[in-house]
Amino acid sequence: MMKQFIPRNLLKSFQRNIYLHRGSRISGLKKHPEEVFTNYKGIKYEDIDSNTQYINEFLTDKFKIDNKLALQVITHKSFANGIKPHNEKLVAMGSRVLNLFLVKHVTSQQTTNELAINNQNLDILGQPFSRELSGRLSLGIFAKVEKLNTIMFWNTYEHGLSFENSGELKVSANLVYALIGAINFTHGKTVAEEFIKEKVLPQVEDITKKIFDSEGKVE
Amino acid sequence: MMIKGLTSIKLSSTSTRCIGRTFARSYQVAQPDPFFKTEYDEIDNYGSYKNTRFTHKLPETTAQQSPLLVALHSRLNLPNKYEHSTLSQALNLIKNEGLANNFGLNTLGKNLLTYYVSEYLLMRYPRLPIPVFNEAINAYMGVDSLYEVGKSWGIEADVTSKLDKHLSQENELLKYGRLRFLEDSEKSKITEDGIVELNEYESRTIQGNKFISSESEAYASSVRSIIGGLYTHCGEESAKKFIYDHILSRKVEFESMFQFSKPTRELTRICEKLNLTEPISVRLIAETGRLSSHAIYVTGVFVGNQKLGEGVGSSINESKTRAVVNSLLSYYLYTPIDESGNPIKLPSDVNYKFEGIVGEGDVAI
């Protein structure tokens, strides 16, 4: 026969004191939340308009997303050990939407290639230019030019390094993927593709062209 | 590197020294593959790109005379609009014969597959941890899975040499319905039982004791290409339906993909992420036969008065661990449903309305 037990501590509450450490990291000590939830520019992680202003300004009403989701877009998994909602899943969604859109976009242009299938030139696929359209370099620069990455919540071991070496390039590119992913989640694929076509593609094509134009070849 | 017109952004083309460390540039811009001998008018004139390595396509009239190709077309129930010559191209991986191969179709199909499989997983299982999510993608559209799909479609590989075909008086058109991935020199290689000689591609894919064989990759590539071909002739909706019918209809066991090294710590971190302020407690709910050789304990994991999960074990510790693992599984494998209890709509569905949740990402353990 099964015995029923009454849990010992069900009604008993207890208190404990934890020292919250400020300053440089010391193994074993819990850091003070105020420090953990502040980015390297001193901006506090909060669901307020000022944190997501650059994202909201970039999106027109048609593509508007929830402020909470916008905050998730600008939060990288490196921030506070991933304890706050971060953009990993949004990046996964956004990068796939973007890649699929670009593949459809580049193959659907008018062509004279006799090997095209149903007037779709597949020879452009896999070419450096078409690959770099959704590459980290183009999108990282795009985020910087559009000031989307002005406020981001992320961490690196050395923020003083260059745009690329500090990891900001990669995190910024992820922000763009995440933004597309967030629009896909909120409004659906058709609207996300319109967003790419209207707000992302023209700039990214220019940037990618400049990357390839610089001295003919990128080192 | 300095990008003209974007003067505020500098990307170092050489290494940078900082605090005694050297940082090499990690980003490598894609380079053209000289093999294809690609020509174009302007770099951003997508329609002008041409891989001059390939000189011709199989004429549709010839393709329609290949019995294997017609049979495969019917077996897959492909629409009439889907040309047999495209299907034949999807089965061709040979680079050196001048006949257009499946490189572009494969890329197209891969992108379609990646999107629809990811969309399905991200919406239906929004809390899957990224390593499990990647494993699930692999289970649906990895090389091994697509190899099995290709085999189940009855695609035959072309493994006989030109000489063998000539000696057996085989109809030349048959080969256009077969999966062509071996050069003639490779077909006539002498093989020995128990000994596998890896080619260049196979050597690159070695992981532990396993490698991806050229045959598996060829089958996977043909499956992806057939999906790409469907998009070119019949549009995205047809391709999506085909992916759901043939790829996402397969049952994948997500539970077996999880492995927890520190389940209790992971659960604590998740509760912290979810802002559950009350502490976690693991409590014994019931037991029987403590003094017998087959004792059974039932343990529950609680946050305040909310039960997260329950586990049964033959020792208290086992039941505790099972309870914690079950709590984690029920969190990670959560599937949202709509108001009427049906699975929620996906972003690519008509009249999409967001009803699910967005995965908030993994926590560091």
Side-chain angles (χ1 to χ4, degrees):
Chain A
M1 188 183 162
M2 304 282 268
K3 285 183 192 174
Q4 291 294 319
F5 282 85
I6 299 168
R8 274 178 300 175
N9 296 326
L10 191 61
L11 302 171
K12 190 178 163 189
S13 62
F14 61 91
Q15 280 189 324
R16 56 179 181 162
N17 295 319
I18 300 175
Y19 166 68
L20 298 170
H21 180 69
R22 288 175 190 269
S24 58
R25 183 181 150 80
I26 297 175
S27 181
L29 292 186
K30 195 173 169 69
K31 281 193 91 174
H32 199 287
E34 257 184 38
E35 276 196 7
V36 176
F37 300 131
T38 305
N39 76 1
Y40 77 100
K41 288 180 179 173
I43 301 169
K44 275 188 187 174
Y45 179 91
E46 282 173 302
D47 185 4
I48 50 171
D49 286 347
S50 61
N51 278 345
T52 52
Q53 60 175 311
Y54 294 97
I55 299 291
N56 292 331
E57 278 168 17
F58 182 71
L59 300 175
T60 50
D61 282 346
K62 188 177 165 187
F63 307 117
K64 204 163 177 52
I65 57 172
D66 184 47
N67 210 49
K68 206 174 151 194
L69 195 57
L71 186 63
Q72 190 173 343
V73 166
I74 58 171
T75 308
H76 187 251
K77 66 178 174 184
S78 59
F79 184 71
N81 288 325
I83 209 73
K84 294 291 179 192
H86 56 79
N87 63 17
E88 199 175 30
K89 291 286 175 75
L90 294 170
V91 171
M93 179 70 99
S95 62
R96 275 125 174 125
V97 180
L98 181 62
N99 281 322
L100 179 58
F101 171 81
L102 288 172
V103 162
K104 291 190 293 182
H105 174 73
V106 297
T107 54
S108 61
Q109 307 298 306
Q110 201 171 11
T111 182
T112 53
N113 189 341
E114 60 275 14
L115 297 184
I117 300 174
N118 206 15
N119 291 323
Q120 291 171 66
N121 183 15
L122 305 188
D123 284 354
I124 176 67
L125 298 178
Q127 299 298 340
F129 190 81
S130 71
R131 283 164 64 185
E132 286 304 328
L133 282 175
S134 60
R136 286 209 305 265
L137 185 57
S138 299
L139 294 181
I141 294 169
F142 171 76
K144 183 109 180 161
V145 171
E146 292 291 341
K147 296 183 180 163
L148 294 172
N149 66 351
T150 311
I151 298 176
M152 290 196 295
F153 294 98
W154 67 293
N155 265 325
T156 179
Y157 56 88
E158 183 52 75
H159 283 285
L161 293 175
S162 68
F163 184 57
E164 186 188 5
N165 286 332
S166 65
E168 193 179 352
L169 171 77
K170 190 178 171 184
V171 177
S172 304
N174 277 354
L175 184 149
V176 180
Y177 291 132
L179 189 57
I180 296 167
I183 293 169
N184 198 41
F185 271 111
T186 311
H187 301 287
K189 183 160 161 281
T190 312
V191 178
E193 290 185 334
E194 279 170 28
F195 171 74
I196 298 169
K197 199 172 179 180
E198 287 174 29
K199 306 281 286 182
V200 181
L201 188 63
Q203 273 265 37
V204 166
E205 279 185 319
D206 277 353
I207 292 168
T208 311
K209 207 168 171 211
K210 280 170 184 159
I211 291 171
F212 281 88
D213 280 351
S214 56
E215 297 168 27
K217 186 186 168 192
V218 178
E219 284 171 37
Chain B
M1 183 184 76
M2 186 89 164
I3 296 165
K4 290 167 198 165
L6 303 171
T7 46
S8 59
I9 300 162
K10 285 180 185 175
L11 296 171
S12 55
S13 58
T14 54
S15 58
T16 312
R17 277 194 79 76
C18 182
I19 329 170
R21 290 179 185 167
T22 303
F23 299 94
R25 255 201 75 182
S26 54
Y27 193 87
Q28 299 294 322
V29 175
Q31 297 295 326
D33 184 346
F35 176 84
F36 289 112
K37 296 183 180 168
T38 308
E39 291 174 0
Y40 51 82
D41 296 341
E42 292 284 332
I43 198 165
D44 57 347
N45 183 353
Y46 309 129
S48 70
Y49 277 75
K50 183 168 167 40
N51 293 333
T52 56
R53 171 69 70 168
F54 303 117
T55 52
H56 60 287
K57 268 187 2 178
L58 189 69
E60 179 61 15
T61 46
T62 310
Q64 283 173 351
Q65 290 171 42
S66 171
L68 288 175
L69 213 49
V70 174
L72 182 63
H73 196 283
S74 303
R75 208 180 301 131
L76 293 178
N77 202 16
L78 296 172
N80 291 336
K81 280 193 281 182
Y82 197 122
E83 289 181 5
H84 290 75
S85 60
T86 307
L87 186 58
S88 176
Q89 188 173 337
L91 300 175
N92 182 25
L93 278 81
I94 304 288
K95 291 175 171 178
N96 295 318
E97 286 179 352
L99 188 64
N101 79 355
N102 75 350
F103 180 80
L105 286 170
N106 178 34
T107 312
L108 188 55
K110 192 175 185 177
N111 277 288
L112 285 159
L113 259 177
T114 309
Y115 175 74
Y116 284 107
V117 173
S118 303
E119 180 196 63
Y120 173 80
L121 289 172
L122 289 167
M123 295 301 291
R124 294 282 153 83
Y125 300 95
R127 288 176 179 161
L128 281 185
I130 283 290
V132 178
F133 169 76
N134 290 334
E135 198 53 45
I137 294 264
N138 204 31
Y140 277 117
M141 53 168 287
V143 172
D144 290 339
S145 309
L146 295 186
Y147 169 71
E148 293 298 334
V149 172
K151 278 276 184 187
S152 72
W153 287 352
I155 296 173
E156 288 178 27
D158 183 24
V159 288
T160 51
S161 66
K162 271 183 188 167
L163 180 62
D164 289 336
K165 284 191 181 92
H166 177 72
L167 291 174
S168 62
Q169 296 182 323
E170 187 185 294
N171 184 343
E172 202 191 332
L173 294 170
L174 277 176
K175 78 168 185 181
Y176 294 120
R178 290 200 175 117
L179 179 62
R180 287 151 282 154
F181 65 100
L182 293 170
E183 301 285 347
D184 233 31
S185 56
E186 290 172 289
K187 288 177 188 168
S188 47
K189 257 187 189 171
I190 298 165
T191 55
E192 189 81 27
D193 273 354
I195 299 173
V196 181
E197 189 184 342
L198 304 187
N199 60 28
E200 200 184 323
Y201 167 78
E202 291 168 338
S203 309
R204 282 204 306 268
T205 63
I206 295 177
Q207 275 188 337
N209 281 335
K210 289 184 177 175
F211 67 94
I212 298 171
S213 68
S214 298
E215 189 187 7
S216 306
E217 175 51 36
Y219 269 96
S221 170
S222 67
V223 172
R224 291 191 289 259
S225 304
I226 288 170
I227 293 168
L230 193 58
Y231 167 78
T232 57
H233 289 295
C234 310
E236 198 173 340
E237 266 311 306
S238 294
K240 179 184 170 183
K241 188 173 179 308
F242 192 83
I243 290 169
Y244 272 81
D245 289 347
H246 292 271
I247 309 293
L248 288 169
S249 58
R250 303 169 77 238
K251 188 162 172 55
V252 172
E253 288 289 338
F254 295 114
E255 280 187 34
S256 60
M257 294 176 185
F258 285 88
Q259 203 169 23
F260 301 106
S261 57
K262 293 168 184 165
T264 312
R265 187 181 291 188
E266 191 165 339
L267 188 62
T268 313
R269 297 283 288 162
I270 287 172
C271 289
E272 198 181 336
K273 186 173 177 119
L274 296 173
N275 292 324
L276 299 176
T277 45
E278 294 194 64
I280 292 176
S281 55
V282 183
R283 302 179 203 149
L284 191 61
I285 297 172
E287 67 165 61
T288 182
R290 183 182 279 255
L291 300 178
S292 73
S293 59
H294 297 293
I296 293 176
Y297 299 90
V298 182
T299 304
V301 178
F302 296 83
V303 170
N305 288 329
Q306 289 182 46
K307 188 162 78 175
L308 305 182
E310 197 175 285
V312 181
S314 57
S315 70
I316 291 178
N317 271 343
E318 187 192 342
S319 67
K320 274 181 184 175
T321 310
R322 283 187 188 279
V324 173
V325 167
N326 286 342
S327 310
L328 285 170
L329 285 176
S330 59
Y331 171 77
Y332 284 132
L333 293 175
Y334 162 75
T335 295
I337 48 171
D338 66 10
E339 286 167 349
S340 44
N342 297 318
I344 54 164
K345 284 199 164 190
L346 306 177
S348 60
D349 289 344
V350 184
N351 298 329
Y352 168 75
K353 185 186 157 205
F354 180 56
E355 290 173 300
I357 59 165
V358 178
E360 296 188 346
D362 307 346
V363 284
I365 313 298

